Amino acid sequence: MLSFVSSAVFVGIYLYTRNWVCNDIIAICYTFMFLHLIQVPNLKISTILLTSAFFYDIFWVFLSSYIFGSNVMVSVATSIDLPIKIQCPKMIPTPVSFCGLIGLGDLVLPGLLVCLTARIDYIKQS
C-alpha cells in the first residue's frame, strides 16, 4: 500500500510539473518493471529480437527522413510528453534549448539479453 501511495504522489507531481527528472525516474521504473516481468527464453529469440530492433531503429531514425520528409522517430519522441524516453538537457548554454534523449526500447531490449545471460550464469553456478 505504501508503494502505491508513494508512486501515485510521484506521478501526480510529474503530471503537475512535467519535470524531466520526474520523467526520467518514472521511465527508469518502467524499464526495471519490464525487465523484471518479461523474460526471453533463449539466446536465439534474443538475437532475433535485437537484430530486428537494430534494423527497425536504422530505418526510423536514419532513413525515414528520405521517405516521409522528416525524422519520424525523433518527431514522435519529442512530441509525446509521456515517460517513454529518458531525457538529459544540455548543461552548456546554447541558443536552442534541446534535450538529448534515448527511448526505453533502446534500454529494454539489450536489457533482456543481459537478464538472460545473468539467469544462465546463475543456473550454471547453482
Side-chain angles (χ1 to χ4, degrees), residues 21-51:
V21 175
C22 294
N23 179 54
D24 289 355
I25 291 171
I26 293 171
I28 290 169
C29 290
Y30 281 150
T31 303
F32 284 140
M33 183 187 68
F34 189 87
L35 292 176
H36 179 73
L37 294 176
I38 305 297
Q39 293 182 352
V40 179
N42 56 37
L43 188 59
K44 181 179 177 182
I45 291 183
S46 180
T47 304
I48 291 169
L49 187 63
L50 280 173
T51 305

Side-chain angles (χ1 to χ4, degrees), residues 53-75:
F54 176 71
F55 288 111
Y56 173 86
D57 275 351
I58 287 175
F59 175 76
W60 287 110
V61 172
F62 299 110
L63 302 176
S64 66
S65 60
Y66 297 113
I67 297 171
F68 301 108
S70 67
N71 189 328
V72 175
M73 184 82 76
V74 172
S75 62

